[in-house]
Short mmCIF file of all heavy atoms in Angstrom, two decimals:
data_model
loop_
_atom_site.label_atom_id
_atom_site.label_comp_id
_atom_site.label_asym_id
_atom_site.label_seq_id
_atom_site.Cartn_x
_atom_site.Cartn_y
_atom_site.Cartn_z
N ASP A 60 1.67 14.46 -21.07
CA ASP A 60 2.11 13.06 -20.94
C ASP A 60 2.63 12.76 -19.54
O ASP A 60 2.38 11.69 -19.00
CB ASP A 60 3.19 12.74 -21.97
CG ASP A 60 2.63 12.45 -23.35
OD1 ASP A 60 1.39 12.26 -23.47
OD2 ASP A 60 3.43 12.40 -24.30
N HIS A 61 3.37 13.71 -18.97
CA HIS A 61 3.87 13.51 -17.61
C HIS A 61 2.71 13.33 -16.64
O HIS A 61 2.73 12.45 -15.77
CB HIS A 61 4.74 14.68 -17.17
CG HIS A 61 5.98 14.85 -17.97
ND1 HIS A 61 6.76 15.98 -17.89
CD2 HIS A 61 6.60 14.05 -18.88
CE1 HIS A 61 7.80 15.87 -18.71
NE2 HIS A 61 7.71 14.70 -19.33
N ALA A 62 1.69 14.16 -16.80
CA ALA A 62 0.50 14.05 -15.94
C ALA A 62 -0.15 12.67 -16.11
O ALA A 62 -0.54 12.03 -15.12
CB ALA A 62 -0.50 15.16 -16.26
N MET A 63 -0.25 12.22 -17.34
CA MET A 63 -0.88 10.92 -17.60
C MET A 63 -0.06 9.76 -17.06
O MET A 63 -0.61 8.75 -16.60
CB MET A 63 -1.16 10.74 -19.09
CG MET A 63 -2.27 11.63 -19.59
SD MET A 63 -3.83 11.47 -18.68
CE MET A 63 -4.22 9.74 -18.98
N LEU A 64 1.26 9.88 -17.08
CA LEU A 64 2.10 8.83 -16.51
C LEU A 64 1.84 8.69 -15.01
O LEU A 64 1.73 7.58 -14.49
CB LEU A 64 3.58 9.13 -16.76
CG LEU A 64 4.07 8.94 -18.19
CD1 LEU A 64 5.48 9.53 -18.36
CD2 LEU A 64 4.06 7.47 -18.58
N ILE A 65 1.75 9.82 -14.33
CA ILE A 65 1.49 9.80 -12.89
C ILE A 65 0.07 9.28 -12.63
O ILE A 65 -0.15 8.47 -11.73
CB ILE A 65 1.72 11.19 -12.27
CG1 ILE A 65 3.18 11.60 -12.44
CG2 ILE A 65 1.32 11.19 -10.80
CD1 ILE A 65 3.47 13.06 -12.14
N TYR A 66 -0.88 9.74 -13.42
CA TYR A 66 -2.27 9.28 -13.33
C TYR A 66 -2.34 7.75 -13.42
O TYR A 66 -2.95 7.08 -12.59
CB TYR A 66 -3.06 9.97 -14.45
CG TYR A 66 -4.46 9.48 -14.66
CD1 TYR A 66 -5.52 10.05 -13.97
CD2 TYR A 66 -4.73 8.47 -15.59
CE1 TYR A 66 -6.83 9.62 -14.19
CE2 TYR A 66 -6.02 8.04 -15.81
CZ TYR A 66 -7.07 8.62 -15.11
OH TYR A 66 -8.36 8.18 -15.33
N LYS A 67 -1.70 7.21 -14.46
CA LYS A 67 -1.72 5.75 -14.66
C LYS A 67 -0.98 5.03 -13.54
O LYS A 67 -1.40 3.97 -13.10
CB LYS A 67 -1.13 5.39 -16.02
CG LYS A 67 -2.04 5.77 -17.17
CD LYS A 67 -1.41 5.43 -18.51
CE LYS A 67 -2.31 5.88 -19.64
NZ LYS A 67 -1.71 5.60 -20.94
N TYR A 68 0.12 5.60 -13.09
CA TYR A 68 0.88 4.99 -12.00
C TYR A 68 0.02 4.88 -10.74
O TYR A 68 0.01 3.84 -10.08
CB TYR A 68 2.16 5.79 -11.72
CG TYR A 68 2.96 5.21 -10.59
CD1 TYR A 68 3.73 4.07 -10.78
CD2 TYR A 68 2.93 5.78 -9.33
CE1 TYR A 68 4.46 3.51 -9.74
CE2 TYR A 68 3.65 5.24 -8.28
CZ TYR A 68 4.41 4.09 -8.49
OH TYR A 68 5.11 3.54 -7.44
N LEU A 69 -0.68 5.95 -10.43
CA LEU A 69 -1.55 5.91 -9.24
C LEU A 69 -2.63 4.85 -9.40
O LEU A 69 -2.88 4.06 -8.48
CB LEU A 69 -2.16 7.29 -8.98
CG LEU A 69 -1.20 8.32 -8.39
CD1 LEU A 69 -1.82 9.71 -8.42
CD2 LEU A 69 -0.79 7.94 -6.98
N HIS A 70 -3.27 4.79 -10.56
CA HIS A 70 -4.29 3.78 -10.79
C HIS A 70 -3.71 2.37 -10.72
O HIS A 70 -4.32 1.48 -10.14
CB HIS A 70 -4.99 4.00 -12.15
CG HIS A 70 -6.09 5.00 -12.07
ND1 HIS A 70 -7.29 4.75 -11.46
CD2 HIS A 70 -6.16 6.27 -12.53
CE1 HIS A 70 -8.06 5.82 -11.54
NE2 HIS A 70 -7.39 6.76 -12.18
N ASN A 71 -2.53 2.18 -11.30
CA ASN A 71 -1.89 0.86 -11.28
C ASN A 71 -1.51 0.43 -9.86
O ASN A 71 -1.25 -0.76 -9.64
CB ASN A 71 -0.65 0.84 -12.17
CG ASN A 71 -1.00 0.86 -13.64
OD1 ASN A 71 -2.13 0.66 -14.04
ND2 ASN A 71 0.00 1.14 -14.47
N ASN A 72 -1.48 1.38 -8.95
CA ASN A 72 -1.15 1.07 -7.56
C ASN A 72 -2.36 1.24 -6.64
O ASN A 72 -2.21 1.50 -5.44
CB ASN A 72 0.03 1.93 -7.11
CG ASN A 72 1.32 1.44 -7.70
OD1 ASN A 72 1.94 0.52 -7.19
ND2 ASN A 72 1.72 2.02 -8.83
N SER A 73 -3.55 1.11 -7.23
CA SER A 73 -4.81 1.12 -6.48
C SER A 73 -5.02 2.39 -5.66
O SER A 73 -5.58 2.34 -4.56
CB SER A 73 -4.92 -0.11 -5.58
OG SER A 73 -4.81 -1.28 -6.35
N GLN A 74 -4.57 3.51 -6.21
CA GLN A 74 -4.74 4.79 -5.53
C GLN A 74 -5.84 5.60 -6.21
O GLN A 74 -6.02 5.52 -7.42
CB GLN A 74 -3.43 5.59 -5.56
CG GLN A 74 -2.29 4.92 -4.83
CD GLN A 74 -2.60 4.73 -3.36
OE1 GLN A 74 -2.84 5.68 -2.63
NE2 GLN A 74 -2.60 3.47 -2.93
N THR A 75 -6.54 6.37 -5.43
CA THR A 75 -7.57 7.25 -5.95
C THR A 75 -6.92 8.48 -6.56
O THR A 75 -6.01 9.07 -5.96
CB THR A 75 -8.53 7.68 -4.82
OG1 THR A 75 -9.11 6.52 -4.25
CG2 THR A 75 -9.62 8.61 -5.33
N VAL A 76 -7.37 8.85 -7.73
CA VAL A 76 -6.88 10.06 -8.38
C VAL A 76 -7.94 11.14 -8.21
O VAL A 76 -9.11 10.93 -8.52
CB VAL A 76 -6.59 9.82 -9.88
CG1 VAL A 76 -6.26 11.13 -10.58
CG2 VAL A 76 -5.48 8.80 -10.04
N THR A 77 -7.51 12.26 -7.67
CA THR A 77 -8.41 13.39 -7.47
C THR A 77 -7.90 14.54 -8.32
O THR A 77 -6.78 15.03 -8.12
CB THR A 77 -8.44 13.80 -5.98
OG1 THR A 77 -8.78 12.66 -5.20
CG2 THR A 77 -9.44 14.92 -5.75
N LEU A 78 -8.70 14.96 -9.29
CA LEU A 78 -8.30 16.04 -10.19
C LEU A 78 -8.82 17.37 -9.67
O LEU A 78 -9.99 17.51 -9.35
CB LEU A 78 -8.84 15.78 -11.60
CG LEU A 78 -8.38 14.47 -12.24
CD1 LEU A 78 -9.08 14.25 -13.57
CD2 LEU A 78 -6.87 14.45 -12.41
N GLY A 79 -7.91 18.32 -9.58
CA GLY A 79 -8.28 19.65 -9.12
C GLY A 79 -8.34 20.63 -10.28
O GLY A 79 -7.99 20.30 -11.42
N ALA A 80 -8.79 21.83 -10.00
CA ALA A 80 -8.85 22.88 -11.01
C ALA A 80 -7.43 23.26 -11.43
O ALA A 80 -6.51 23.27 -10.61
CB ALA A 80 -9.58 24.10 -10.47
N ILE A 81 -7.28 23.57 -12.70
CA ILE A 81 -5.98 23.99 -13.22
C ILE A 81 -5.97 25.51 -13.27
O ILE A 81 -6.84 26.13 -13.88
CB ILE A 81 -5.73 23.39 -14.62
CG1 ILE A 81 -5.79 21.87 -14.56
CG2 ILE A 81 -4.38 23.87 -15.17
CD1 ILE A 81 -5.85 21.21 -15.91
N ALA A 82 -4.98 26.09 -12.61
CA ALA A 82 -4.88 27.54 -12.53
C ALA A 82 -4.56 28.14 -13.90
O ALA A 82 -3.90 27.51 -14.73
CB ALA A 82 -3.81 27.94 -11.52
N LYS A 83 -5.03 29.34 -14.10
CA LYS A 83 -4.70 30.10 -15.32
C LYS A 83 -3.26 30.60 -15.20
O LYS A 83 -2.86 31.09 -14.14
CB LYS A 83 -5.66 31.28 -15.44
CG LYS A 83 -5.40 32.14 -16.64
CD LYS A 83 -6.35 33.33 -16.69
CE LYS A 83 -6.00 34.17 -17.90
NZ LYS A 83 -6.61 35.48 -17.85
N PRO A 84 -2.47 30.48 -16.28
CA PRO A 84 -1.12 31.04 -16.22
C PRO A 84 -1.16 32.52 -15.89
O PRO A 84 -2.00 33.26 -16.41
CB PRO A 84 -0.57 30.80 -17.63
CG PRO A 84 -1.37 29.65 -18.15
CD PRO A 84 -2.74 29.82 -17.55
N ASP A 85 -0.25 32.94 -15.02
CA ASP A 85 -0.28 34.32 -14.54
C ASP A 85 0.94 35.14 -14.96
O ASP A 85 1.16 36.24 -14.47
CB ASP A 85 -0.41 34.35 -13.03
CG ASP A 85 0.75 33.66 -12.32
OD1 ASP A 85 1.59 33.04 -13.00
OD2 ASP A 85 0.82 33.75 -11.09
N LYS A 86 1.71 34.62 -15.89
CA LYS A 86 2.91 35.33 -16.34
C LYS A 86 2.55 36.30 -17.47
O LYS A 86 1.70 36.00 -18.30
CB LYS A 86 3.97 34.37 -16.86
CG LYS A 86 4.42 33.33 -15.86
CD LYS A 86 5.33 33.92 -14.84
CE LYS A 86 5.85 32.84 -13.91
NZ LYS A 86 6.57 33.38 -12.80
N GLU A 87 3.19 37.45 -17.46
CA GLU A 87 3.04 38.41 -18.56
C GLU A 87 4.36 38.49 -19.29
O GLU A 87 5.41 38.65 -18.66
CB GLU A 87 2.63 39.78 -18.03
CG GLU A 87 1.19 39.83 -17.58
CD GLU A 87 0.71 41.25 -17.38
OE1 GLU A 87 1.14 42.15 -18.13
OE2 GLU A 87 -0.09 41.44 -16.46
N PHE A 88 4.30 38.37 -20.60
CA PHE A 88 5.51 38.38 -21.42
C PHE A 88 5.53 39.65 -22.27
O PHE A 88 4.57 39.96 -22.96
CB PHE A 88 5.54 37.14 -22.33
CG PHE A 88 5.30 35.85 -21.58
CD1 PHE A 88 4.26 35.02 -21.93
CD2 PHE A 88 6.13 35.48 -20.53
CE1 PHE A 88 4.03 33.83 -21.26
CE2 PHE A 88 5.91 34.29 -19.85
CZ PHE A 88 4.86 33.46 -20.21
N LYS A 89 6.67 40.34 -22.20
CA LYS A 89 6.82 41.56 -22.99
C LYS A 89 7.95 41.41 -24.02
O LYS A 89 7.83 41.88 -25.13
CB LYS A 89 7.09 42.74 -22.06
CG LYS A 89 5.91 43.07 -21.14
CD LYS A 89 6.19 44.30 -20.33
CE LYS A 89 5.22 44.67 -19.28
NZ LYS A 89 3.90 44.44 -19.27
N THR A 90 9.03 40.75 -23.63
CA THR A 90 10.17 40.58 -24.54
C THR A 90 10.24 39.12 -24.99
O THR A 90 9.64 38.23 -24.37
CB THR A 90 11.49 40.94 -23.85
OG1 THR A 90 11.82 39.95 -22.88
CG2 THR A 90 11.42 42.33 -23.21
N LEU A 91 11.01 38.87 -26.03
CA LEU A 91 11.17 37.51 -26.52
C LEU A 91 11.85 36.61 -25.48
O LEU A 91 11.64 35.40 -25.47
CB LEU A 91 11.97 37.50 -27.82
CG LEU A 91 11.34 38.22 -29.01
CD1 LEU A 91 12.24 38.10 -30.23
CD2 LEU A 91 9.96 37.67 -29.31
N ALA A 92 12.64 37.20 -24.61
CA ALA A 92 13.34 36.42 -23.59
C ALA A 92 12.45 36.08 -22.40
O ALA A 92 12.73 35.11 -21.68
CB ALA A 92 14.57 37.19 -23.11
N ASP A 93 11.38 36.83 -22.17
CA ASP A 93 10.55 36.62 -20.98
C ASP A 93 10.02 35.18 -20.86
O ASP A 93 10.14 34.58 -19.79
CB ASP A 93 9.39 37.62 -20.95
CG ASP A 93 9.82 39.02 -20.59
OD1 ASP A 93 10.98 39.22 -20.15
OD2 ASP A 93 9.01 39.95 -20.79
N PRO A 94 9.42 34.61 -21.91
CA PRO A 94 8.95 33.23 -21.77
C PRO A 94 10.08 32.24 -21.51
O PRO A 94 9.90 31.29 -20.74
CB PRO A 94 8.26 32.94 -23.11
CG PRO A 94 7.93 34.27 -23.68
CD PRO A 94 9.02 35.18 -23.21
N LEU A 95 11.23 32.45 -22.13
CA LEU A 95 12.35 31.54 -21.93
C LEU A 95 12.81 31.56 -20.48
O LEU A 95 13.06 30.50 -19.88
CB LEU A 95 13.51 31.91 -22.85
CG LEU A 95 13.24 31.93 -24.34
CD1 LEU A 95 14.50 32.31 -25.11
CD2 LEU A 95 12.70 30.60 -24.83
N ASN A 96 12.93 32.76 -19.92
CA ASN A 96 13.33 32.87 -18.52
C ASN A 96 12.28 32.30 -17.58
O ASN A 96 12.60 31.62 -16.61
CB ASN A 96 13.63 34.33 -18.17
CG ASN A 96 14.89 34.83 -18.85
OD1 ASN A 96 15.91 34.14 -18.88
ND2 ASN A 96 14.83 36.02 -19.42
N ALA A 97 11.01 32.54 -17.89
CA ALA A 97 9.93 32.00 -17.07
C ALA A 97 9.91 30.48 -17.14
O ALA A 97 9.66 29.81 -16.13
CB ALA A 97 8.59 32.58 -17.50
N ALA A 98 10.17 29.93 -18.32
CA ALA A 98 10.19 28.47 -18.47
C ALA A 98 11.32 27.86 -17.65
O ALA A 98 11.13 26.81 -17.00
CB ALA A 98 10.33 28.09 -19.94
N TYR A 99 12.48 28.47 -17.67
CA TYR A 99 13.61 27.97 -16.90
C TYR A 99 13.29 27.99 -15.40
O TYR A 99 13.51 27.00 -14.70
CB TYR A 99 14.87 28.78 -17.20
CG TYR A 99 16.09 28.30 -16.47
CD1 TYR A 99 16.56 27.00 -16.64
CD2 TYR A 99 16.79 29.14 -15.62
CE1 TYR A 99 17.69 26.55 -15.97
CE2 TYR A 99 17.93 28.71 -14.96
CZ TYR A 99 18.37 27.42 -15.13
OH TYR A 99 19.49 26.98 -14.45
N GLU A 100 12.75 29.10 -14.93
CA GLU A 100 12.36 29.19 -13.51
C GLU A 100 11.30 28.14 -13.18
O GLU A 100 11.34 27.52 -12.11
CB GLU A 100 11.81 30.59 -13.20
CG GLU A 100 12.86 31.67 -13.21
CD GLU A 100 12.25 33.06 -13.08
OE1 GLU A 100 11.07 33.19 -12.69
OE2 GLU A 100 12.97 34.03 -13.38
#
Side-chain angles (χ1 to χ4, degrees):
D60 280 347
H61 296 167
M63 289 306 298
L64 288 169
I65 298 167
Y66 171 89
K67 288 179 183 178
Y68 179 77
L69 285 169
H70 276 288
N71 288 346
N72 286 277
S73 302
Q74 297 299 300
T75 302
V76 172
T77 305
L78 301 174
I81 302 168
K83 179 182 179 195
D85 61 352
K86 302 284 184 189
E87 286 194 35
F88 310 122
K89 295 184 187 329
T90 71
L91 297 181
D93 287 348
L95 302 180
N96 290 316
Y99 182 59
E100 289 173 16

